[in-house]
Amino acid sequence: MTKPLLDQTTTVEIINPTFRTVVENGSLQKLPAYLSQEQLTNRAFVITDTKVGPLYGRAVSQTLLDAGIKTTVLTMKAGEQHKTLAQAGNLVDQLSDAKATRKDVIIALGGGVVGDLGGFVASIYNRGVPLVHIPTTLLAMVDSSVGGKTGVDHGGKNKTGSFYQPKLVIADPTVLVTLGPRVYTEAFGEIAKYAILDADFLTELETAADRLRSYSTDNLDILGKIIARCVKQKSNVIATDPREQAPDGRILLNYGHTLGHGLEAAGDYTELLHGEAVAIGMTFAAQLALQLGLAGEEFITRQTRLLEALGLPTRYTGKASIVDVMKHIEKDKKNTKTNSIRFVLPRTAGQLTVEQIESSVVNRAVSDFVVAQ
Ligand SMILES: NC(=O)c1ccc[n+]([C@@H]2O[C@H](COP(=O)([O-])OP(=O)(O)OC[C@H]3O[C@@H](n4cnc5c(N)ncnc54)[C@H](O)[C@@H]3O)[C@@H](O)[C@H]2O)c1
Ligand SMILES: [Zn+2]
């Protein structure tokens, strides 16, 4: 077993149930030890996809087999279009054929698609089997593996699913070396969002932005710290508001997401990656906040500078029509009243507010924002 490049381990405790998140370079090779600490050494079922499987699936299963853990790898096709109820059913059938039980563990090895689908399968098979997430995209490390939301795209994106916490999350930043540059960079849309919610983190991220802009093994130390910071922040918010009910809790994590989701959906999920859409959505929300007298120019400039330094877009240059974008914003599940749209808006770094904005005001602001590009 090779020595980890850095001992960057963070343990995040979530209230009821409790689980650990480990952010550590080389942690994949130590998987049996981590599983053993959680008494998860019966059989392992590794759910992965056709891209991640060939890269890391074999190594993970060999590490487990070497440690005496009987392991089966179940592979699904890579891509959002395969995050379906049919695929979940298929995996349930495979678990059933292999006579998997609640003493076994399901390990979701992959990006957010595998994490959401694998987590959903773990939550429904036998009414719940222990789950371990091994996120392999930066987005999955800082976002989708934290918080317990699982699901598939049935009846709409992420419409069918469950809240189901893993026993353990193992994030090994060294696996990001094989990630495409665009998929690496888009995760910084979410990371920048966390930073805007926390003034100290914002300063830290601004200082590190140039080094983080592209993946480099030279920067694994800072990358590990940033991932751990995001995990802690999301975990803390979720621990106090697990089901998004508090007015100043989990909902604040939707900063940048209202327009972001609208742009993603109006572009049929092919134009923009999620984190890119969030970065554009944050820019829009900041401009709307300026227009409403909530935020100042200085804040907008600071946020735009950060997003650009990280290599993220701040303008929408796609083909979707404003009518389409508005249609999607208005039917977003996160909007409550019919004639107004709920927005998370910034006042300044670390101070955000949730406001109901008249649809007509939003429509005008979206038109101005898109036309101004
Ligand atoms: N549950 C949540 O709270 C939550 C939060 C945010 C996003 N999500 C979900 O996450 C999904 C997006 O996740 P994503 O951005 O990780 O996409 P993804 O899982 O589709 O991964 C992107 C691509 O990268 C490949 N890949 C993954 N790891 C790799 C690696 N280390 N090297 C090379 N290739 C690799 C994948 O096979 C895929 O082709 C969406 O379905 C979204 O709904 C869920
Ligand atoms: Zn998001």
Side-chain angles (χ1 to χ4, degrees):
M1 192 172 296
T2 56
K3 192 178 174 300
L5 297 170
L6 118 131
D7 283 323
Q8 168 64 42
T9 306
T10 182
T11 302
V12 184
E13 306 291 344
I14 296 266
I15 303 165
N16 192 26
T18 301
F19 74 91
R20 291 175 76 197
T21 294
V22 176
V23 181
E24 183 186 15
N25 291 329
S27 48
L28 269 197
Q29 294 150 39
K30 292 161 74 178
L31 185 58
Y34 285 119
L35 291 179
S36 159
Q37 285 164 17
E38 305 297 324
Q39 279 99 46
L40 297 172
T41 51
N42 206 35
R43 280 185 303 169
F45 290 88
V46 178
I47 297 180
T48 189
D49 71 24
T50 43
K51 279 199 186 158
V52 178
L55 291 168
Y56 304 108
R58 200 166 305 143
V60 164
S61 81
Q62 196 56 53
T63 306
L64 294 173
L65 289 166
D66 289 348
I69 301 173
K70 214 172 153 199
T71 303
T72 305
V73 178
L74 308 175
T75 307
M76 60 174 280
K77 283 191 184 147
E80 183 74 32
Q81 67 274 32
H82 301 291
K83 203 173 105 176
T84 61
L85 202 49
Q87 181 59 258
N90 186 280
L91 288 165
V92 164
D93 289 345
Q94 292 186 58
L95 289 167
S96 185
D97 290 347
K99 300 192 170 40
T101 74
R102 274 189 221 135
K103 288 192 189 128
D104 303 329
V105 60
I106 288 181
I107 300 176
L109 171 72
V113 166
V114 167
D116 278 11
L117 190 109
F120 180 58
V121 167
S123 77
I124 57 173
Y125 180 72
N126 264 7
R127 297 197 176 86
V129 177
L131 168 69
V132 171
H133 278 303
I134 304 184
T136 62
T137 62
L138 186 52
L139 185 97
M141 288 182 191
V142 299
D143 193 358
S144 60
S145 65
V146 190
K149 281 187 182 172
T150 82
V152 295
D153 301 334
H154 188 83
K157 186 159 160 48
N158 295 328
K159 274 281 184 207
T160 303
S162 58
F163 283 94
Y164 193 66
Q165 297 290 358
K167 298 281 181 216
L168 183 66
V169 181
I170 304 282
D172 181 349
T174 64
V175 304
L176 301 176
V177 69
T178 48
L179 211 58
R182 193 174 166 201
V183 181
Y184 170 81
T185 296
E186 67 134 341
F188 284 97
E190 294 290 352
I191 295 172
K193 174 200 76 181
Y194 290 121
I196 295 297
L197 294 170
D198 177 332
D200 290 342
F201 183 22
L202 180 57
T203 310
E204 198 181 317
L205 188 60
E206 283 170 332
T207 311
D210 287 343
R211 288 179 63 197
L212 291 167
R213 192 180 169 115
S214 43
Y215 178 88
S216 158
T217 46
D218 293 342
N219 297 330
L220 279 171
D221 56 343
I222 181 74
L223 187 57
K225 284 190 186 128
I226 296 284
I227 294 168
R229 177 116 204 192
C230 295
V231 169
K232 273 190 188 153
Q233 194 176 331
K234 185 168 179 189
S235 305
N236 287 343
V237 171
I238 285 161
T240 51
D241 181 24
R243 285 180 180 252
E244 210 170 297
Q245 284 159 336
D248 57 352
R250 201 165 177 165
I251 182 164
L252 293 183
L253 297 174
N254 288 327
Y255 179 47
H257 282 62
T258 309
L259 181 71
H261 281 151
L263 293 174
E264 269 185 290
D268 270 338
Y269 297 96
T270 53
E271 265 183 9
L272 288 170
L273 298 180
H274 179 67
E276 296 168 342
V278 169
I280 299 170
M282 285 166 62
T283 309
F284 171 75
Q287 290 187 6
L288 184 59
L290 174 73
Q291 202 178 306
L292 297 170
L294 295 167
E297 288 276 9
E298 221 172 275
F299 171 79
I300 298 187
T301 309
R302 188 176 177 190
Q303 179 179 273
T304 303
R305 199 178 298 140
L306 174 70
L307 295 171
E308 287 176 355
L310 291 165
L312 289 158
T314 55
R315 296 162 190 195
Y316 178 65
T317 52
K319 292 192 182 65
S321 72
I322 290 157
V323 173
D324 245 15
V325 174
M326 283 307 296
K327 195 179 78 196
H328 286 289
I329 290 181
E330 276 167 345
K331 75 167 190 214
D332 192 308
K333 62 182 186 287
K334 285 168 182 126
N335 294 319
T336 46
K337 296 184 195 161
T338 44
N339 282 334
S340 68
I341 296 168
R342 196 168 61 171
F343 265 90
V344 180
L345 297 176
R347 291 183 186 278
T348 186
Q351 282 180 37
L352 287 92
T353 168
V354 182
E355 304 284 335
Q356 289 290 145
I357 314 287
E358 288 277 326
S359 281
S360 57
V361 173
V362 176
N363 199 329
R364 216 170 314 123
V366 171
S367 308
D368 291 349
F369 182 74
V370 172
V371 169
Q373 312 300 322

